[in-house]
Amino acid sequence: MQKTGAGAASQTKFLLQESELPRRWYNIRSDMPTAPQPVLHPGTGQPVGPDDLAPLFPMELIGQEVSEEAEIAIPDEVLEIYSLWRPTPLFRARRLEDAIGTRSRIFYKYEGVSPPGSHKPNTAVAQAFYNKQEGRTRLATETGAGQWGSALAFACKLIGLECKVYMVKISYEQKPNRRSLIQAWGAEIVPSPSEETQSGRAILEEYPDSPGSLGIAISEAVEDAAGREDTAYSLGSVLNHVLLHQTVIGQEALAQMELADAFPDVLIGCVGGGSNFAGLAFPFLREKIAGREIDVLACEPAACPTLTRGLFAYDFGDTSKLTPLVPMHTLGHDFVPAPIHAGGLRYHGVAPLISQLVRDGLIRAEAYLQNDVFASAVLFAGNEGILPAPEAAHAIHGTLQVAKAADEAGEERTILFNLSGHGHFDMAAYDNYFAGKLQDVALDEDEMSRALHAIEGLPAPA
Ligand SMILES: Cc1ncc(COP(=O)(O)O)c(C=O)c1O
């Protein structure tokens, strides 16, 4: 392996040794120019405290949620499981660069080498570990695309916890093999909305054909966890501690870009709740906040354009209003996004840390239509070989847009994007794309205004 920059110009893969796995997570709160606003109790309008969150989360994660420490040590037991697939590779996309004839250099960090196939186990393992340590025996969660549900099922299996997954109904139907994978790792799985919770039954009564949404599935999982002593709730994105755990991605990428003798001018990731994007971007944003110039681009679907068209407001994290009020860009908690194939990007809100960084001008966002995204995914697969998850394909599409704009301006960029997962369980989506059956859905203005009514009367952020 190249340990210096020598020869890096002709190299394709940049690999780290297991001994180079980051030993600490990076907490961007300690460096943010504007502190994120507090999460509020919907009843009192006051900031939530540890006691409000204790029925749902272990104390260690509640502490990480509000920590101001710049770095938090990763427990040895978590590192030991990370070492099954981490450090993950960083590639130079030489063949893609040649295919599009760009002057720019394109790099990608590949998180699809984890056993479930995405970045999600970086936090699933940590969450399962702290829950087990504090005596919980069962976790309840939601899943959109199925990547998060399989990551938590995997983590619970290895750590020794039971796991219940509420899977958004449209994905449950589109992805039977994700379902089987979740069962192979010993978890119980039901389509959401389900008959098993009050929240699910209420939605089904009003909308018997509801395709489900992440907001609805979160309501079901929170209700499940709140109703049982042995069970905690586990969220795969959005929360500060989840984004924190993902920062192993960017820390490794910083070291790997050094091996490549390069530093990105542009950083790109797809955003659902924001965890893979934050995982790559936060360690680089530390440098941007310190004065280095980097363009940081978040890519989202036009059918669920939270950052590009949503309001920055206090809103519930779920449809049934069971969660605290979160300061974030939102499309309204009862918004049900069109059933596009990037199921993991169908969330009405986004991580408050990302929202605040967008407000502060440190991150910008773009939204894309799904046929354009799939065309970019197929172009990528035809050159680099890896078939991306539809979510990750948004970052590929963003990368191609940036490279094209740079070429048109006669400029040369170094671009780094996060390839957050593979698409091997997303073949029904590719089948539909090849058959010309994918609908391009951009969120309609009337539906957006309707959905935003849901946040009227809630406290306004400063
Ligand atoms: C492969 C992949 N990428 C991205 C996402 C979006 O989630 P987040 O924004 O938290 O990374 C998901 C969510 O399921 C996913 O499965």
Side-chain angles (χ1 to χ4, degrees):
M1 191 187 64
Q2 292 290 347
K3 274 304 199 178
T4 68
S10 61
Q11 214 169 303
T12 298
K13 281 195 302 303
F14 299 91
L15 305 175
L16 299 174
Q17 300 291 336
E18 225 168 274
S19 58
E20 294 171 287
L21 227 162
R23 292 286 191 273
R24 297 175 168 274
W25 293 301
Y26 165 59
N27 181 13
I28 200 167
R29 278 176 70 109
S30 63
D31 288 319
M32 283 171 73
T34 313
Q37 302 190 35
V39 167
L40 302 181
H41 190 291
T44 63
Q46 294 303 306
V48 296
D51 291 349
D52 299 313
L53 297 174
L56 293 181
F57 300 104
M59 275 305 166
E60 180 60 35
L61 293 178
I62 293 171
Q64 290 180 8
E65 196 60 22
V66 294
S67 172
E68 303 281 346
E69 296 288 313
E71 294 184 340
I72 293 174
I74 306 175
D76 287 344
E77 295 85 341
V78 173
L79 283 171
E80 193 250 318
I81 297 181
Y82 278 177
S83 69
L84 288 173
W85 73 94
R86 301 209 75 84
T88 61
L90 183 134
F91 292 89
R92 169 103 183 256
R94 293 185 180 283
R95 298 176 57 90
L96 181 68
E97 287 172 19
D98 288 347
I100 61 172
T102 184
R103 305 154 62 131
S104 292
R105 290 187 293 176
I106 300 176
F107 293 88
Y108 60 96
K109 179 76 166 152
Y110 185 42
E111 288 294 304
V113 294
S114 76
S118 78
H119 63 295
K120 296 283 182 183
N122 296 331
T123 185
V125 171
Q127 293 191 43
F129 169 77
Y130 291 121
N131 273 291
K132 169 101 177 188
Q133 197 181 41
E134 293 185 30
R136 261 22 185 268
T137 57
R138 180 176 175 274
L139 295 182
T141 197
E142 72 293 328
T143 192
Q147 288 271 21
W148 168 244
S150 34
L152 194 68
F154 159 76
C156 285
K157 185 74 188 168
L158 266 61
I159 280 176
L161 296 172
E162 286 176 53
C163 180
K164 170 81 176 261
V165 180
Y166 294 85
M167 184 168 187
V168 174
K169 194 195 277 165
I170 179 77
S171 297
Y172 186 90
E173 286 162 1
Q174 285 169 346
K175 300 188 183 193
N177 296 331
R178 271 276 164 213
R179 236 151 76 188
S180 309
L181 185 61
I182 289 169
Q183 285 172 317
W185 277 317
E188 191 190 334
I189 177 161
V190 287
S192 165
S194 78
E195 292 286 353
E196 299 193 14
T197 64
Q198 229 172 325
S199 310
R201 287 189 294 273
I203 303 269
L204 285 173
E205 201 165 300
E206 206 173 335
Y207 308 103
D209 297 327
S210 168
S213 70
L214 277 169
I216 295 169
I218 292 173
S219 298
E220 294 208 84
V222 168
E223 185 183 324
D224 177 321
R228 289 179 59 156
E229 281 274 306
D230 63 349
T231 302
Y233 169 61
S234 180
L235 185 63
S237 192
V238 181
L239 298 176
N240 301 349
H241 68 263
V242 179
L243 275 52
L244 172 84
H245 300 154
Q246 293 294 353
T247 58
V248 286
I249 302 173
Q251 292 182 68
E252 287 177 7
L254 271 165
Q256 288 163 308
M257 290 303 285
E258 207 170 309
L259 288 181
D261 224 359
F263 192 86
D265 306 309
V266 192
L267 265 185
I268 299 178
C270 69
V271 172
S275 72
N276 87 90
F277 176 80
L280 179 70
F282 283 5
F284 287 89
L285 277 165
R286 185 183 211 173
E287 311 252 332
K288 180 166 177 169
I289 293 164
R292 199 152 189 175
E293 221 171 280
I294 318 174
D295 177 20
V296 185
L297 173 63
C299 305
E300 59 183 16
C304 191
T306 317
L307 286 170
T308 47
R309 293 175 61 198
L311 282 186
F312 181 78
Y314 270 109
D315 196 6
F316 292 96
D318 73 314
T319 306
S320 300
K321 307 195 263 193
L322 300 178
T323 69
L325 292 169
V326 183
M328 61 182 176
H329 288 83
T330 179
L331 295 164
H333 55 262
D334 72 358
F335 172 62
V336 177
I340 54 163
H341 278 281
L345 306 185
R346 293 179 67 238
Y347 183 57
H348 67 273
V350 69
L353 291 176
I354 292 180
S355 279
Q356 188 57 52
L357 292 162
V358 167
R359 284 186 99 203
D360 286 346
L362 288 158
I363 298 172
R364 67 185 179 96
E366 288 183 356
Y368 309 125
L369 293 168
Q370 62 175 348
N371 276 296
D372 295 339
V373 167
F374 275 83
S376 295
V378 171
L379 174 66
F380 181 82
N383 288 287
E384 296 297 316
I386 299 168
L387 189 82
E391 292 81 8
H394 286 70
I396 296 173
H397 189 65
T399 298
L400 294 173
Q401 302 306 300
V402 168
K404 189 165 163 220
D407 288 328
E408 283 168 3
E411 292 167 358
E412 187 187 310
R413 294 259 183 277
T414 299
I415 304 169
L416 169 61
F417 76 88
N418 199 8
L419 188 61
S420 53
H422 67 64
H424 298 173
F425 292 91
D426 300 281
M427 298 319 295
Y430 281 93
D431 287 348
N432 281 333
Y433 171 67
F434 293 131
K437 288 195 204 148
L438 281 195
Q439 306 270 337
D440 271 335
V441 199
L443 175 57
D444 164 280
E445 210 44 63
D446 290 347
E447 167 55 9
M448 203 169 111
S449 319
R450 184 211 62 75
L452 283 172
H453 276 311
I455 60 175
E456 276 171 15
L458 297 178

